[in-house]
Amino acid sequence: MLGFFVGEMIHSLFLINLSGDIFLEKHWKSVVGRSVLDYFFEAKEKAVNPEDVAPVLQTPHHYLISIYRGKIFFLAVIQTEVPPLFVIEFLHRVADTFQDYFGECSENVIKDNLVIVYELLEEMLDNGFPLATESNVLKEMIRPPTILRSVVNTLTGGTNVGDMLPTGQLSNIPWRRAGVKYTNNEAYFDVIEEIDAILDKSGTTVFAEIQGVIEACVKLTGMPDLTLSFMNPRLLDDVSFHPCVRFKRWESERVLSFIPPDGNFTLMTYHVSSQNLVAIPIYVKQNISFFETGSCGRLDITIGPKQTMGKTVEGLMVTVPMPKAVLSVNLTASQGNFTYDLATKVLVWDIGKLNPQKLPNLKGSLSVQAGAPKPEENPALNINLKIQQVAISGLKVNRLDMYGEKYKPFKGVKYVTKAGKFQVRT
Amino acid sequence: MTTMQKLLQLPVNAVNIVKTVQSQVQGQSQEEDKSPVLSPDGGQQTWYSALQPDELRHLRPGGSGGGGGGGGGGSSGGGDQDERATLDEGGGFQNQPLRHDDLKEMLDSNKDSSKLEAMKRIVAMIARGKNASDLFPAVVKNVACKNIEVKKLVYVYLVRYAEEQQDLALLSISTFQRGLKDPNQLIRASALRVLSSIRVTIIVPIMMLAIKEAASDMSPYVRKTAAHAIPKLYSLDPEQKDQLIEVIEKLLADKTTLVAGSVVMAFEEVCPERIDLIHKNYRKLCNLLIDVEEWGQVVIINMLTRYARTQFLNPNINESLLEEGGGGEKTFYGSEEDEDDEEEEKEKKSEAAALAKRKPYVMDPDHRLLLRNTKPLLQSRNAAVVMAVAQLYFHLAPKAEVGVIAKALVRLLRSHSEVQYVVLQNVATMTIKRRGMFEPYLKSFYIRSTDPTQIKVLKLEVLTNLANETNISTILREFQTYIKSMDKDFVAATIQAIGRCATNIGEVRDTCLNGLVQLLSNRDELVVAESVVVIKKLLQMQPEKHSDIIKHMAKLTDNIQVPMARASILWLIGEYCEHVPKIAPDVLRKMAKSFTNEEDIVKLQIINLAAKLYLTNSKQTKLLTQYVLNLAKYDQNYDIRDRARFIRQLIVPTEKCGALSKYAKKLFLALKPAPVLESPFKDRDHFQLGSLSHLLNAKAGGYQELPDWPEAAPDPSVRNVEVFALLERVTTLTSVPEWTKCSSREKRKEKKVEKPFYSDSEGESGPTESADSESDSASGSESGSGSEESGSGSESEESEEGSESEEEEEEEEGEEKDQKKKKNKEIKKPVQESESENSSEEEERKNERKRRQRKNDSESESEEEEDESESESSQSESEDSDSEAEVKKKKVKTAQTKPPPKPAKTDNKKGKKEMSLLDLDDFEPAPSPQVTPVNNFLSNSLVTDLEGLSLSDNVLSPATISPSSATKSYELLHRITGEGLSVEYCFSRQPFSPDANMVAVQIEFTNNTTNDTKNLHMEDVKLQSGMRVKEFPEIELLPAGETTTAVMGIDFCDSTQAANFQLCTHSRKFFVSIQPPVGELMRPVFLTENEFKKEQGQLMGMNEITEKLMLDVKCRNEHAIVQRVITAANLSRVPCGSDKECRFSGRTVTSSSLVLVTVASKEEGTAQLMVNCEKMVIGTMLVKDILLALTQ
């Protein structure tokens, strides 16, 4: 060992599945032996859930920074000081890229596209330092697989490596390539708001806030310069942007001005100022109780509409992680289906649309392991729901203008409200 | 899937596939055939033939054994079956590795497709971590393959195995060298990338050359690659450090965003200690930052954090001094500390506070620049960038500004759990120092049952840190929910948290204790145990009040089995046995019974309990104690045996050791201090936040310590960019805003030491001294004995200078100095003229000198020169012009943009002779020394600039301003109403030295009566809220017929509201009021064109007012426009490329809001006026005023 450290940010990367098999490794410098992973495996053994493995582990000579995505651990081996978030964020970007390339990020997909994955990693990091992480740039260098191209490649012996040299990296706007052409020019924006809330036993809101995101799908020819403005930008309390958004203009005029990347991207995320009262679309009446004797308990849940902005609540679903002692359930649902997974002890009640005239109800008895003590805590209810065509904060897009190109694009904006981390304590 | 099926599926590639499949069928792994070293030419061929028999040997067993050939990994069939088929064979390696021989064969084939196929499999092998090193010779041959896809995969292979096969790797080098010359930038870049990734020491010189060349490549992308290559080479051969630093220095000067991040990364890895390399690039890096790619931003921000810590002063200096004095005392000085120390400390403290008071902290504009330019990045989508900015603010910003990061960090809590994990660790550290910052976001740290345990525990930590008297009840209610959680580790952590809240907040201690006591009846033993441990700690604080709790806990010994909890209870009972005198012996009795079955820690505590009881209540417990000690004597654990022996000796008095046993009671029952429950995150902020070291709370390899703030700021001029030497000189001269504030000489001296702009070697004390002596005669003699440059005759001096300037062409500093000298000369002449013309008293000249000196604090030798030139009044006009010519010559030589100062001078001379000196001298203060000047700046705008400022003859003591013709005077008191006293006032446009936020108003009193007026002073000032007035000093006597002036300061709060007051004489009172025109509510600010545009871009929309106008006939040239605007408002001209546009900038006096004015003239006298100002009212009023000025 030389007496000095020359770090590279990321020395090696390992992909490990849940059962501990290493199915891909890449080293950016000299090879690091797999034995270093023993420390990780030890931590993984100890953890009850894979999420409980500490993201940063220390070994005598290395540091292991890992993320858990799509039932895979992405584990980076580090030798020297580096901001941990730098590595974590990068690993997530790798996972995002896989997702983008292959439609999902799973062990099978990666195994099936091993060479592409390897080439991607080669492009994304140089000497352990991120080089090209914009999916637009990568796609020019390494084409994602499509069914059609796979067939053609097989016939011609071609590969997915781009044979044209990329241009995006060299322009001032690395996120967009030059020479984009479409016959139908379209720009779609989905305003998606999620309600994070904690309701307590009595139905009072302990905590509630709205997190929003604008997902865009822009398919426009040339170099369009877009401006998107809101009716009520003052609602937005905290924002974060795709690098394409000109921050100065947001600061001064509260409009989003940007040259969009080609295709799908997240334009911005926002947080609605906490001064605004958050409308909670539903109320939950619940009664879960366990009896000291008789090894049983009762459950009774009713859900009704509260502040729904005149829209229908859809996709209503209640997930209840039951105490370990609950052996089985004997319930009847007035609407929808429910399942109880004996292994994970999770009760899922899939309700669907919420009918204000006939409120959905789930009730019945729970049977508890004989002799086991009465569970201390009642399980919390996790709620999923969806309301179409409304952003619960009241945020509205005012207009979308395009400059720099002659044609008239088709523009569309859609609003959806969902439940984010929506929990009811019982 | 059988081989036949595969064949059918892949008709076209059949030939290849047949080969593949066959070979696969036959294949076996073949670890043993390590490749021999490949001889350069033709050697391969022979090697191959030599291998033939070997191959045959493998074919035989392979044929019989390998039926399962292309097993295909069992992946499900789908639409992309075909694609998969080829890869599946690759996948087959896992079970049935394809023989390397066959791969070699494929690589040797003429067909690209088959080469590609082979390369894909090889890369797949590498990806799986299988060894493919013996294929090296076969692969390396293909490095020159035309097919770009094959090539790429070969590169991948090369980089992986070159280190192991150094000799062979050399074969590929020439290909890359050729690639480095390719016209396509991407090929150049990729060649350099691979070349530098080959870890073979022998090619170090080649790499070095390649990097150097690439560093000056036209393409920024190639330069970026060069930056990436630097650390690679450095790790290969640290000897190259010096050369690499040169390259880094060069690349640091690069102006493209693409390169910035990468080169800073290289800097950090090769020479993080060379902070001096950053100086010249500091401002550029700050300005580029927002456009750099995300990863580069993180690296740059982290580096700049360190940089700032070495270059700027602690913005919280005053506060931290006070803080230390106030809050620190409790923790630092326990009761034992002797008084003296404390007093000393107090002294120090007061000293420090005094120091802080004396020297008001002024943030370096560069420090501000960094804070301003990083702030928008808090909005980045990249968590690492947000964290980087957050830590920068935490470590560098004034306390009041740190708050902005809280919101962004809270936002990150919505991200992936790993991100949350890291962010929460950092928030936990921050909340200890800056609790208030996160208090508004308390609820964002509430815990959900679905959070992973480690996140829960961290959130708990943050909540605990945030707890205070006001929110504790909310937090405790929240904790109550957590205690019921199924996650027992989390419950345990919650109990600990409650304990900490209880110790920190006295008001809730009892509530918490009661709550915890209730938990003692919890069914879960872990919960109870944790509660016991925490209660034990709490009880130590006030045991006497809680004997019932101790009793309650004594009962628990029957049930609770967790050793730690049992031990805690026993310790409690032992410690406070006096509070439970009846129960304690009983507990001991029970424990003695079960002694042998207890865990070791419990046994130790039983012995302790026995000993303590024996000492306090020996009558009841003597036998029990002996019994316990006897049991312990034979225990298996030697610790316990030792303890028993030791205690027996100590407490049971025998003849031998009576001395010690006397003190047994003191030993055992000493008063023990209550434990402090501290956050594990306390003091973690000595690590740079966001770093790995901070997270682990241990120094990681390569961690760069965050330096402490310097005591005194290092020379800020090092960040000035050299190219614009003269201009810069002008601005540095003008950019000492502090000078306005110092009035006594001592302070000036202080300043001078602090801010040596030109730390030229010739003893700073010299010139100051000469100035101090301040007698004209002295100055003459001094100059004679003085500096090196002081020639005896004009001729010699000139020649000397000439030679000097030539010599110093390369030395920037020397040249600057030289220039300065010239400049001073020019200044001097008019001095003399005015002196002779006005024949003014020495008094005035002294004042002038004083003034000059203030200016010249930075220029150490100018004083000397002034004196010198004064004494050498014989110096002729011609010499002056000669030296000017010299300047011009130099300008040409060095090809730098230096404005000829001549026109300025002549113009001034013509205009108002007596003012010219002051003009040059009193170039108005600009907020920052940062300049990126425009070429033609001085040539046309210096003149006007000077004109605009001509009135600001600078006097620091506010009593001696001579009114000037150009300032508009307003009447304050008419001589009729004033009964003979007439008073006029004007806005002198001076910085008002006692208070920078005030507008200086110069008042001229004339006594038209025949009697003396006495005791002129102000009274009964009536102001709008927020406004302030600094009264002029009382004028004791104004003789009849005399005129005198005084200066007062008014803070108008950036409004045009009048200041009303009474003007009093010894006999009368007059109600008067001063109302400022809007143009006087600002002070000029020097901006460059770029800065102007940038600032203007930020002041659009509501803050921009535009008006069309028809220019007055007499006001159609640039000169006139400038003059009129500057008369109307106290603004400074901004250099501008076009003569159609005049720009002006200033800041409002009170709030320092920027005021930007643009007058764009168009054909036929039409023009457009635009005012950008954050203060809309000011902007609107200003538009009206300027409009009026330009149209009339």
Side-chain angles (χ1 to χ4, degrees), chain B residues 550-571:
Chain B
I550 298 173
K551 275 177 208 154
H552 181 82
M553 288 174 76
K555 281 179 208 150
L556 282 172
T557 46
D558 296 340
N559 305 318
I560 195 162
Q561 292 306 320
V562 176
M564 190 61 208
R566 286 179 80 86
S568 294
I569 296 174
L570 292 176
W571 183 89

Side-chain angles (χ1 to χ4, degrees), chain B residues 269 296 383 400 644 756 1039 1074:
Chain B
E269 295 194 354
I1074 294 179

Side-chain angles (χ1 to χ4, degrees), chain B residues 255-292:
Chain B
K255 291 201 167 44
T256 44
T257 51
L258 205 57
V259 183
S262 304
V263 66
V264 172
M265 189 268 301
F267 169 84
E268 287 285 78
E269 295 194 354
V270 178
C271 51
E273 72 284 354
R274 287 291 305 274
I275 211 89
D276 57 298
L277 296 181
I278 303 302
H279 292 325
K280 292 271 179 267
N281 301 296
Y282 173 82
R283 289 172 193 155
K284 183 194 70 194
L285 283 174
C286 286
N287 288 324
L288 284 184
L289 196 58
I290 194 144
D291 293 320
V292 174

Side-chain angles (χ1 to χ4, degrees), chain B residues 819-834:
Chain B
Q819 299 273 354
K820 216 185 305 160
K821 209 166 68 188
K822 301 264 153 77
K823 199 87 185 178
N824 272 322
K825 287 244 177 63
E826 295 159 48
I827 297 164
K828 275 151 233 156
K829 251 209 59 167
V831 178
Q832 288 141 30
E833 273 177 20
S834 63

Side-chain angles (χ1 to χ4, degrees), chain B residues 532-680:
Chain B
V532 168
V533 174
V534 173
I535 289 173
K536 177 198 129 192
K537 290 178 183 167
L538 288 180
L539 285 185
Q540 265 185 279
M541 295 183 151
Q542 359 167 235
E544 63 288 345
K545 278 171 69 186
H546 300 291
S547 56
D548 50 329
I549 295 177
I550 298 173
K551 275 177 208 154
H552 181 82
M553 288 174 76
K555 281 179 208 150
L556 282 172
T557 46
D558 296 340
N559 305 318
I560 195 162
Q561 292 306 320
V562 176
M564 190 61 208
R566 286 179 80 86
S568 294
I569 296 174
L570 292 176
W571 183 89
L572 262 179
I573 294 170
E575 188 66 25
Y576 306 115
C577 49
E578 284 140 23
H579 301 291
V580 280
K582 286 184 188 150
I583 294 174
D586 196 45
V587 171
L588 182 62
R589 185 183 55 81
K590 281 186 198 159
M591 287 296 132
K593 232 161 128 189
S594 63
F595 184 86
T596 42
N597 299 324
E598 298 289 351
E599 291 270 341
D600 289 350
I601 45 166
V602 184
K603 284 178 179 171
L604 287 172
Q605 289 305 330
I606 296 173
I607 299 173
N608 270 348
L609 173 64
K612 286 171 184 168
L613 284 177
Y614 181 89
L615 290 168
T616 52
N617 184 10
S618 61
K619 217 165 86 191
Q620 267 189 305
T621 56
K622 193 174 179 183
L623 287 172
L624 268 174
T625 307
Q626 273 175 359
Y627 175 68
V628 168
L629 289 176
N630 280 334
L631 284 177
K633 196 174 173 184
Y634 301 107
D635 199 88
Q636 284 189 325
N637 185 301
Y638 52 77
D639 272 346
I640 293 168
R641 294 198 302 270
D642 280 356
R643 178 76 60 94
R645 209 167 298 139
F646 159 71
I647 284 180
R648 187 191 294 273
Q649 294 297 320
L650 204 59
I651 59 171
V652 184
T654 58
E655 295 94 54
K656 277 180 195 170
C657 55
L660 204 57
S661 63
K662 264 189 245 163
Y663 301 103
K665 203 164 183 175
K666 270 194 178 170
L667 283 172
F668 278 97
L669 294 169
L671 199 65
K672 288 154 188 97
V676 184
L677 298 179
E678 269 186 352
S679 163

Side-chain angles (χ1 to χ4, degrees), chain B residues 717-921:
Chain B
S717 68
V718 289
R719 284 182 292 277
N720 294 348
V721 184
E722 291 173 356
V723 193
F724 311 102
L726 180 62
L727 268 177
E728 209 171 273
R729 197 190 68 78
V730 172
T731 24
T732 28
L733 275 176
T734 59
S735 69
V736 200
E738 291 90 340
W739 62 263
T740 53
K741 286 177 198 145
C742 15
S743 46
S744 84
R745 191 182 298 151
E746 276 162 332
K747 281 189 182 172
R748 264 184 278 130
K749 267 191 197 164
E750 229 174 73
K751 269 280 134 52
K752 180 165 171 179
V753 178
E754 210 177 69
K755 284 208 157 193
F757 274 107
Y758 296 96
S759 46
D760 287 350
S761 52
E762 48 235 277
E764 280 176 31
S765 59
T768 324
E769 226 91 284
S770 74
D772 283 354
S773 66
E774 242 175 33
S775 83
D776 274 14
S777 60
S779 75
S781 65
E782 254 172 66
S783 73
S785 68
S787 70
E788 15 159 311
E789 283 109 342
S790 67
S792 50
S794 59
E795 279 285 331
S796 69
E797 186 179 345
E798 196 196 318
S799 65
E800 198 185 310
E801 265 178 28
S803 63
E804 241 176 51
S805 69
E806 259 164 34
E807 271 166 24
E808 288 170 353
E809 247 166 32
E810 278 155 58
E811 288 175 55
E812 213 59 54
E813 259 183 54
E815 198 183 327
E816 250 169 287
K817 196 172 68 189
D818 219 30
Q819 299 273 354
K820 216 185 305 160
K821 209 166 68 188
K822 301 264 153 77
K823 199 87 185 178
N824 272 322
K825 287 244 177 63
E826 295 159 48
I827 297 164
K828 275 151 233 156
K829 251 209 59 167
V831 178
Q832 288 141 30
E833 273 177 20
S834 63
E835 263 174 60
S836 55
E837 274 170 31
N838 296 355
S839 67
S840 59
E841 288 96 17
E842 217 166 74
E843 180 72 41
E844 203 181 299
R845 220 174 91 203
K846 265 191 205 161
N847 280 336
E848 249 162 36
R849 286 252 307 286
K850 261 191 215 158
R851 257 174 261 145
R852 182 94 46 75
Q853 191 202 345
R854 263 155 221 142
K855 280 277 81 114
N856 290 351
D857 274 345
S858 50
E859 319 164 68
S860 49
E861 96 248 13
S862 54
E863 214 66 341
E864 227 165 15
E865 272 174 28
E866 185 190 339
D867 295 338
E868 171 201 319
S869 69
E870 267 171 48
S871 60
E872 295 168 334
S873 50
S874 64
Q875 276 189 340
S876 64
E877 174 80 49
S878 71
E879 197 229 321
D880 250 347
S881 60
D882 268 0
S883 67
E884 254 170 47
E886 200 65 51
V887 174
K888 274 178 195 157
K889 232 196 283 169
K890 229 179 285 161
K891 192 181 80 187
V892 177
K893 270 186 213 155
T894 52
Q896 285 172 350
T897 39
K898 280 176 213 150
K902 190 164 182 180
K905 195 189 99 195
T906 46
D907 197 286
N908 276 320
K909 254 193 235 164
K910 273 179 219 155
K912 358 183 165 58
K913 267 182 191 166
E914 68 277 84
M915 298 306 278
S916 58
L917 163 76
L918 303 170
D919 285 348
L920 269 174
D921 230 355

